CSV table of all heavy atoms in Angstrom, one decimal:
chain,number,residue,atom,x,y,z
A,171,ARG,N,3.3,14.9,27.9
A,171,ARG,CA,4.6,15.0,27.2
A,171,ARG,C,4.7,14.0,25.9
A,171,ARG,O,5.7,14.0,25.2
A,171,ARG,CB,5.7,14.6,28.2
A,171,ARG,CG,5.8,15.5,29.3
A,171,ARG,CD,6.9,15.0,30.3
A,171,ARG,NE,7.0,15.9,31.5
A,171,ARG,CZ,8.0,15.7,32.4
A,171,ARG,NH1,8.8,14.7,32.4
A,171,ARG,NH2,8.0,16.6,33.5
A,172,VAL,N,3.6,13.3,25.7
A,172,VAL,CA,3.6,12.4,24.6
A,172,VAL,C,2.4,12.7,23.7
A,172,VAL,O,1.4,13.0,24.2
A,172,VAL,CB,3.6,10.9,25.0
A,172,VAL,CG1,4.9,10.5,25.8
A,172,VAL,CG2,2.3,10.6,25.9
A,199,ASP,N,7.9,-9.3,24.8
A,199,ASP,CA,6.9,-10.4,24.8
A,199,ASP,C,6.3,-10.3,23.4
A,199,ASP,O,5.6,-9.3,23.1
A,199,ASP,CB,5.9,-10.1,25.9
A,199,ASP,CG,5.0,-11.3,26.0
A,199,ASP,OD1,4.5,-11.9,25.0
A,199,ASP,OD2,4.6,-11.7,27.2
A,277,ALA,N,-0.3,4.5,-22.7
A,277,ALA,CA,-0.8,5.8,-23.2
A,277,ALA,C,-1.5,6.6,-22.1
A,277,ALA,O,-1.5,7.8,-22.2
A,277,ALA,CB,-1.8,5.5,-24.3
A,299,GLN,N,2.7,12.8,-10.8
A,299,GLN,CA,1.9,13.5,-9.8
A,299,GLN,C,0.9,14.4,-10.5
A,299,GLN,O,-0.3,14.6,-10.1
A,299,GLN,CB,2.8,14.3,-8.9
A,299,GLN,CG,3.6,13.5,-8.0
A,299,GLN,CD,4.7,14.2,-7.4
A,299,GLN,OE1,4.9,15.4,-7.5
A,299,GLN,NE2,5.6,13.6,-6.6
A,306,GLU,N,-1.7,13.9,-3.5
A,306,GLU,CA,-1.2,14.0,-2.0
A,306,GLU,C,-2.2,13.3,-1.1
A,306,GLU,O,-1.8,12.6,-0.2
A,306,GLU,CB,-0.9,15.4,-1.6
A,306,GLU,CG,0.4,15.9,-2.2
A,306,GLU,CD,0.9,17.2,-1.5
A,306,GLU,OE1,0.8,17.2,-0.3
A,306,GLU,OE2,1.4,18.1,-2.2
A,362,ILE,N,-8.1,11.2,-13.5
A,362,ILE,CA,-6.8,11.4,-14.1
A,362,ILE,C,-6.9,12.5,-15.1
A,362,ILE,O,-7.8,12.7,-16.0
A,362,ILE,CB,-6.4,10.1,-15.0
A,362,ILE,CG1,-6.3,8.9,-14.1
A,362,ILE,CG2,-5.2,10.3,-15.7
A,362,ILE,CD1,-6.0,7.6,-14.8
A,375,GLU,N,-10.1,-1.5,-11.2
A,375,GLU,CA,-10.4,-2.8,-10.7
A,375,GLU,C,-9.0,-3.5,-10.4
A,375,GLU,O,-8.1,-3.4,-11.2
A,375,GLU,CB,-11.2,-3.7,-11.5
A,375,GLU,CG,-12.5,-3.0,-12.1
A,375,GLU,CD,-13.4,-2.7,-11.0
A,375,GLU,OE1,-13.4,-3.3,-9.9
A,375,GLU,OE2,-14.3,-1.7,-11.2
A,387,LEU,N,-3.8,-8.1,-11.3
A,387,LEU,CA,-4.2,-7.5,-12.7
A,387,LEU,C,-5.0,-6.2,-12.4
A,387,LEU,O,-6.0,-6.3,-11.7
A,387,LEU,CB,-5.0,-8.5,-13.5
A,387,LEU,CG,-5.6,-7.9,-14.8
A,387,LEU,CD1,-4.4,-7.6,-15.8
A,387,LEU,CD2,-6.5,-9.0,-15.4
A,422,VAL,N,2.5,-5.8,-25.6
A,422,VAL,CA,2.5,-5.8,-24.2
A,422,VAL,C,4.0,-5.7,-23.8
A,422,VAL,O,4.9,-6.4,-24.3
A,422,VAL,CB,2.0,-7.2,-23.6
A,422,VAL,CG1,2.2,-7.2,-22.1
A,422,VAL,CG2,0.5,-7.4,-24.0
Side-chain angles (χ1 to χ4, degrees):
R171 298 181 180 179
V172 296
D199 190 319
Q299 294 166 4
E306 288 196 36
I362 297 176
E375 311 296 337
L387 175 64
V422 178

